[in-house]
């Protein structure tokens, strides 16, 4: 089974940009992606399940089951800009191999639809919350890096773990272009303010004015999803770090 | 090898319901499934082995070896009701990937036989034993959820780990219908009383009167199987929980 | 890669018996298999490598490298008895999945050569060494169990971990016959005495008189192999046990 | 995905020798390989990515992303000697299975290009640094071992972990020839002096005079790569050792 994909539609897109928005530090990407989906009335066209997701079901308020899932949505540009593919979900994969597989499958689908550019979003852990968080970038190439810097980002120094890093890394390997937007966040809870800055920066790049009035509602939705999934970020992140050390043996 | 299946028969079934009955908390599903097999004279038609099962053999009283195994049985309805596929075994898979693979294979077989409905059974851990345990459900959809509630169950809140959750979650993904029956149990030992309530509720749904006189004997059989497999639930369950935390990293 | 097999010959064998002799508790099987290979002038016909073996090379006294490996040998019967396939090696697989894969591949090869009977050998951990160790069996079926008991063995009670258990368990699943011979051993060091009793019992079953005069030399050879592989049994076995507990979650 | 290979060229080579130069103890192989690539103006012809590499991206000084990667370079001999294939990278695989897969793929490519000889380089951990480090070898066969000894090496005693050992071990299994050069190193930091002795010995074997004037620069480059990857050798190596113990269960 490993990674199974249900496509419900094959949209025709014009030079689409893939925007990664899975749960991660501060859930910055997750809130931003959900908000884009709601505000831009994005249309779901693919569901992705991986055997590297957690083996459980989670119940919603009305008793129906919810499984670990990733989804792809598309947005046709209204203002003559580029179309979007939004990658949303309630989980990353649980293993390194599963992460590679997942990113690989999503890039396969995006490339089939003509995508040549990837933006990943993430949180950059900071000890304290700040009103105006810094935004850091890494990119597939120097030219794209300059575009990211022109948006007001700073050069990222260090590692970009998980999907946010892998998306840009594997894009580079496939000779796609793209950058990461990593926003300062204490990272303990869904960080609506960080998501706001991610969306402002992304909007600048896309020439897209996203209404942020209801962003708190998107944050609340993510928060209630997280609570239903029983995710305790603070503990697991620390464990993850130790594990990263162990897994990088030489 | 991963998952290998020996089919000894391909039964012709009428709109069959798949009933999951693997070992889990309180062994509620396991006792219930074994009892159904015995009382309904269910016929074994498939054996499933997975390389994600434990790598050992266990000896029985007479010295013959027993391996970790899953089995599928069928029951032709006597009273004009729906046929049954009973999924029984002495183990779940040891890894997340193995669990997905296992559920996927069983659903494949069930769907080939025309199955469109899945019932998973499980225990819901409670600190104390109660004479009349509560029964909780989660379902693939709202309509099926209502059917489960009409049986006297309450809405499940939280996670449904392991096979019980995955069966309903993957059924949903495959556009099958179904629900989980999760019965209160202290969960430390094979819980015959919880299995009784699972069977009563399931019987109501199936319009099936299963004789429960010999249920204690089914419980004893599970207990002696467990002892031969050296399963110490209390320890392993706690370990499992910690592991779940670790495996859900974000 | 997973499991790769180099066959150098395809022998024609008469109703051969597969004898499992990989390293395990007390190295009983390993010493016995090596001694059979030497005394019966067994001919190597296949090498098996698995990516579930350890990723290192070990140097021999003359500086040449030795890799983790399994090997199959055959013996044509001199006295009109049944031919033998001897499964020898310096390692088991490191993962459950690897163990299943390995046993599966070896049984595939053996069955292609007409094998219908499997004998696995192992140690049964006892706190103290005894002059005349007990021998315990488990078997694929009652008739074969009786044959094992007629050799003077007792009924094994409990688990048979690793290759010794899996060989008989998977043989049973494939509708082959066979039994395990598990000899009392303190298990800390290569146990020549336990191997002697394993060979005496096996010889009785096979109607085969194996000269045991040089058995100490076989034990020494295993010991020096073990030392070169840096195997510290006492520690690893304890760790293994803990791991078994963890891996059997329900 | 597991292991994916991008070949940009298929060079025609004359009896090429594969030289392994991945990060390991003291980064001896890594510095030596990078220096050879620079001094001999080696041409990159293949990139290898594995899902068993770490799932992150690392940023460089200018903000562009760098992914875990392995690369193959070739060198056409200028002086009528044998051509070279240099295997360079910033990581080994994180799992045993990944290591086997990786070595297997590289040997596949090398053999397609006519390679029949493999040299792996590594560090041999010593408690103190020495001005003139000892060099130890292991080889696929006695004749090759003698060639290695003739270069002034001593017989290696013990285990050769990871890629350095696996390269020679799997070469032997494929009936290729080759040896390991393992240089004394305290192993805590990139050890330029150890790399110097590895290159001197290798140069003697290849009849190749590599200019070592700029070796410090190669060491610095490796060091800055390591710092960007956040590799803390001392910790991870200790962890690795413990893990090796655990993984070798019997």
């Amino acid at each position: 089974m490993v990674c199974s994909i249900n496509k419900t539609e094959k949209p025709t897109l014009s030079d689409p940009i893939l925007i990664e928005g899975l749960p991660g530090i501060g859930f910055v990407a997750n809130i931003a992606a959900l908000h884009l989906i709601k505000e831009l009335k994005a249309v779901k066209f693919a569901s992705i399940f991986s055997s590297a997701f957690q083996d459980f079901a989670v119940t919603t308020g009305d008793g129906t089951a919810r499984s670990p899932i990733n989804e792809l949505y598309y947005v046709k540009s209204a203002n003559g800009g580029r179309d979007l593919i939004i990658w949303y979900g309630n989980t990353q994969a649980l293993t390194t191999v599963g992460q590679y597989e997942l990113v690989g499958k999503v890039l396969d689908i995006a490339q089939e639809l003509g995508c040549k550019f990837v933006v990943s979003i993430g949180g950059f852990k900071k000890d304290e919350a700040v009103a105006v968080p810094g935004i850091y970038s890494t990119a597939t190439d120097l030219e794209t890096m300059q575009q990211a810097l022109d948006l007001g980002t700073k050069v990222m120094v260090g590692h970009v773990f998980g999907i946010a890093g892998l998306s840009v890394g594997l894009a580079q390997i496939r000779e796609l272009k793209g950058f990461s937007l990593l926003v300062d966040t204490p990272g303990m809870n869904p960080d609506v303010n960080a998501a706001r800055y991610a969306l402002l920066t992304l909007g600048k790049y896309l020439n897209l004015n996203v209404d942020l009035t209801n962003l708190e509602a998107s944050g609340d939705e993510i928060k209630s999803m997280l609570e239903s999934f029983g995710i305790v970020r603070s503990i697991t992140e620390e464990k993850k770090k130790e594990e990263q050390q162990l897994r990088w043996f030489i």
Side-chain angles (χ1 to χ4, degrees), chain A:
Chain A
M1 190 166 171
V2 191
C3 223
S4 94
I5 296 160
N6 292 352
K7 288 187 206 167
T8 50
E9 190 183 343
K10 188 170 175 183
T12 307
L13 300 177
S14 163
D15 196 14
I17 294 179
L18 175 67
I19 297 168
E20 174 274 324
L22 295 189
I25 298 173
F27 299 90
V28 180
N30 216 209
I31 298 170
L34 177 62
H35 193 71
L36 283 179
I37 288 167
K38 294 198 302 185
E39 289 296 324
L40 304 177
K41 302 190 186 349
V43 180
K44 178 158 67 171
F45 70 97
S47 303
I48 303 168
F49 307 95
S50 164
S51 57
F53 291 165
Q54 182 63 290
D55 55 333
F56 63 23
V58 173
T59 51
T60 58
D62 58 20
T64 54
R66 194 185 314 193
S67 295
I69 190 173
N70 276 202
E71 297 170 335
L72 296 178
Y73 293 77
Y74 68 86
V75 181
K76 294 276 205 177
S77 168
N79 61 359
R82 298 168 70 177
D83 294 343
L84 304 181
I85 300 170
I86 302 174
W87 176 10
Y88 179 67
N90 54 26
T91 188
Q92 294 189 19
L94 301 181
T95 64
T96 300
V97 172
Q99 295 273 70
Y100 269 88
E101 168 91 5
L102 183 61
V103 177
K105 289 288 180 191
V106 169
L107 291 180
D108 283 350
I109 297 172
Q111 287 184 274
E112 277 170 27
L113 299 176
C115 172
K116 293 185 195 114
F117 202 94
V118 177
V119 177
S120 73
I121 305 175
F124 185 47
K125 206 184 166 186
K126 194 151 199 163
D127 285 342
E128 293 166 36
V130 284
V132 180
I135 305 184
Y136 304 86
S137 313
T138 181
T140 51
D141 59 294
L142 274 175
E143 193 189 336
T144 306
M145 189 65 210
Q146 192 54 54
Q147 293 176 353
L149 294 174
D150 291 349
L151 302 170
T153 69
K154 300 170 212 162
V155 169
M156 171 72 191
V157 176
H159 300 64
V160 187
F161 284 111
I163 290 290
L166 209 56
S167 298
V168 169
L170 293 187
Q172 188 187 44
I173 283 164
R174 289 167 179 242
E175 297 180 7
L176 307 179
K177 304 205 163 192
F179 56 77
S180 277
L181 295 178
L182 304 158
V183 188
D184 276 339
T185 173
M188 307 296 288
N189 291 297
D191 186 338
V192 172
N193 193 46
R196 183 184 316 277
Y197 279 87
L199 285 171
L200 287 170
T201 308
L202 181 63
K204 213 188 285 181
Y205 178 73
L206 297 172
N207 265 325
L208 194 67
N209 238 326
V210 183
D211 185 347
L212 300 178
T213 320
N214 296 314
L215 189 60
E216 284 287 348
S218 298
D220 290 346
E221 198 170 321
I222 294 291
K223 204 176 284 181
S224 97
M225 179 272 280
L226 292 177
E227 282 163 7
S228 75
F229 268 71
I231 294 173
V232 185
R233 202 205 60 71
S234 54
I235 294 170
T236 49
E237 196 201 16
E238 297 315 310
K239 298 272 185 195
K240 172 87 184 292
K241 266 196 213 150
E242 285 168 35
E243 192 194 22
Q244 297 282 14
Q245 293 280 21
L246 269 167
R247 275 157 60 192
W248 182 272
F249 58 77
I250 48 172

